[in-house]
Every structure is written in C-alpha cells, then in structure tokens.
Amino acid sequence: RSLRVPVHIQPSASLDRLVPDGRHQGIVAFAAAKAYQTEESILARAAQRNEPPLLVILDGVEDPHNLGAVLRTAEGAGAHGVFIPERRAAGLTSVVAKASAGAIDHIPVARVTNMSRSIESLKTAGVWIYGVTPSAEKLFTDVDLRGPVGLVLGGEGTGIRPGVLQHCDECVRIPLSGQVESLNVSAAAAIVLFEVVRQRRVPRTGLTLADLECAALDGHLQQLSRIRYAHFFHHISAVGLNGFDTDLQALPDFLVLKSRPDQFQNFLFA
C-alpha cells in the first residue's frame, strides 16, 4: 500500500478460481508481462558493469520449468542475458516466473526469430560462442572462459540443432562417468556457468607469448588482451606473432577477437 499497489481482500474460493492449477498460498498478485530485451541492451549491460559478456543461448528449451531453472542459475552466476528462440520454445510465462524463483525480474531475456543469425551477430560483436554438447571432444574445463562468452545449450531430447551447432566457434562437453548420455539442460547450464565464475575469480598472472600462442586457432586469434598501447600494435604488425615476447601483465580487459594476425592494422583498440 505504501507503494500505491491496490490490495483487495478476497475469499479463498476466489483465489482458487484465479489460479486453478497453482498453489497460491493465500496471495495472488497481478503483474505486467515480462518485456523482452534486445541483443544491444544485453551487451550494453555488460559494458556498464565493465565485464566481459557472459550470455546463455538456449536452442529449443520447451519445458517452462527448465527455462525458469536456467534463468535462476544464470542470474546467480552473474550472466548478462539469456537468448531464446521465438518458435518451438518456452516463453516468459507465469510458470517460468515461478520456477525462476524471482530471477526473471533481474536477468534480461531476448527472444530472437533466427538463432543462427543472432549467434553470428554476437560473434561479430566479439563474443566467442561455445556449444555445450555431449558429442564434443574437448572438455569445458579445458577452454579459457574469461573472455566474452556465449554458451549454447540445446533443448530436451534433441540437444542443439545441427544448423545452430555449426555456427558455434567451438564445442565442449561435460564429462560423464555413468550410464546416462546427457544432463538436464538446467543442470548442464549450472555446471558450465559456474566454471566461468570460477575462472573469472582466479587472479591473472599476466599474459605472455605462451598465452598468445595458445590463443592462435586455425590462423585466427581467439583471445587477446585489450590493447591500449600503439607501440604494441605496431610491434605485432612489424615482427609478427612469434616475434613478440613482452610480458602483457599490465594490459587490462580480456577481449575476444575474430581477426587474422595480418589484419591487426584494421582494428582500433579503445
């Protein structure tokens, strides 16, 4: 009432009619539908926090309880946003809101018409996309998740669709020792998301030539510190990657690049 929210006292039977399939526990609240966000607003949220983006991309999660559980986990891990497809997937419903335990009010959700196109757009924005799938060879603990990351997780039963999987930069898996072949999507999301949290809390000892060499992937640089010194940029251009041996400990802000080393001069570094 202090917030000028109208309050009405009603008999229990009236509340039962309002939520015939739920347990209202004596209280029912009406709220506006949760508004969907855009890719730009989610990336801006990460920038405002001065953090590398951490995104969850769900491909065809149809169970609203699973979606709600993922939202709860993502919010708890500090993710900046969740992406869901417009078709053949659960949307933001009251069931999702309840399953999220309130997280739906604190984490942005974007609903996209074409998941593959959205992934390519995120890659253009500098986000490295990992598909979490049981068929991957590399373990999720074997990749560096401290940079801008998007985690793609598939729906119940079918997993990530092949058409979406092919747009991922890399695929990783969760090691399983039992007889089951995969985990529930909300459990998988929790495991990988909190590996991101763990890695980002480990103090960095500085980037050296070894870090850069490990970042080289099929002729492209996967990860590199944000460059703020022009002499470093010119040095790389002049002597190439293998000729660089200066400790990069002083350079802040991990950033993902999709550039060939011979195209460094085309980039501006803030």
Side-chain angles (χ1 to χ4, degrees):
R1 288 175 176 171
S2 63
L3 297 177
R4 297 183 179 180
V5 176
V7 178
H8 303 280
I9 308 299
Q10 298 290 334
S12 180
S14 298
L15 302 184
D16 293 339
R17 287 193 294 270
L18 290 173
V19 283
D21 299 323
R23 297 180 181 179
H24 53 70
Q25 298 177 314
I27 299 176
V28 175
F30 292 92
K34 174 70 174 180
Y36 291 101
Q37 302 297 311
T38 64
E39 173 191 324
E40 292 76 16
S41 65
I42 290 176
L43 293 177
R45 190 169 188 248
Q48 290 169 0
R49 295 182 177 183
N50 196 28
E51 298 171 344
L54 173 55
L55 312 174
V56 178
I57 303 166
L58 300 178
D59 182 37
V61 174
E62 299 180 353
D63 188 331
H65 295 92
N66 281 338
L67 176 56
V70 172
L71 293 181
R72 182 177 184 178
T73 300
E75 201 285 326
H80 301 99
V82 176
F83 292 76
I84 62 175
E86 189 176 74
R87 299 179 180 179
R88 293 186 292 276
L92 299 183
T93 65
S94 59
V95 176
V96 173
K98 185 173 182 180
S100 75
I104 194 174
D105 294 322
H106 302 287
I107 185 165
V109 178
R111 200 175 196 182
V112 300
T113 56
N114 188 307
M115 186 61 72
S116 297
R117 190 180 303 152
S118 295
I119 288 176
E120 288 300 321
S121 178
L122 290 171
K123 288 163 66 174
T124 301
V127 179
W128 196 260
I129 306 296
Y130 290 98
V132 183
T133 175
S135 62
E137 295 184 3
K138 184 175 292 186
L139 299 182
F140 75 102
T141 51
D142 292 339
V143 296
D144 193 327
L145 300 170
R146 291 172 292 183
V149 168
L151 303 173
V152 183
L153 297 110
E156 305 85 355
T158 58
I160 304 173
R161 291 172 295 166
V164 173
L165 195 61
Q166 69 180 5
H167 289 277
C168 296
D169 291 305
E170 194 168 359
C171 292
V172 295
R173 65 180 173 88
I174 299 171
L176 299 177
S177 301
Q179 298 300 313
V180 298
E181 297 181 352
S182 63
L183 299 176
N184 176 278
V185 62
S186 61
I191 292 171
V192 182
L193 277 168
F194 279 93
E195 171 63 12
V196 179
V197 173
R198 186 196 69 79
Q199 289 192 18
R200 292 185 176 186
R201 289 188 175 183
V202 174
R204 295 187 60 80
T205 58
L207 292 174
T208 62
L209 175 62
D211 295 297
L212 290 176
E213 289 178 337
C214 290
L217 180 64
D218 295 330
H220 292 67
L221 281 184
Q222 174 183 350
Q223 291 165 334
L224 184 66
S225 221
R226 181 184 296 271
I227 310 307
R228 290 184 176 170
Y229 303 99
H231 70 268
F232 170 75
F233 150 70
H234 289 303
H235 188 84
I236 286 289
S237 299
V239 304
L241 180 63
N242 293 329
F244 188 78
D245 57 4
T246 302
D247 191 345
L248 304 181
Q249 184 172 359
L251 302 184
D253 301 335
F254 215 55
L255 178 67
V256 170
L257 297 176
K258 304 295 194 303
S259 165
R260 293 183 59 85
D262 57 0
Q263 294 177 332
F264 276 160
Q265 61 268 26
N266 296 330
F267 281 84
L268 296 177
F269 299 93

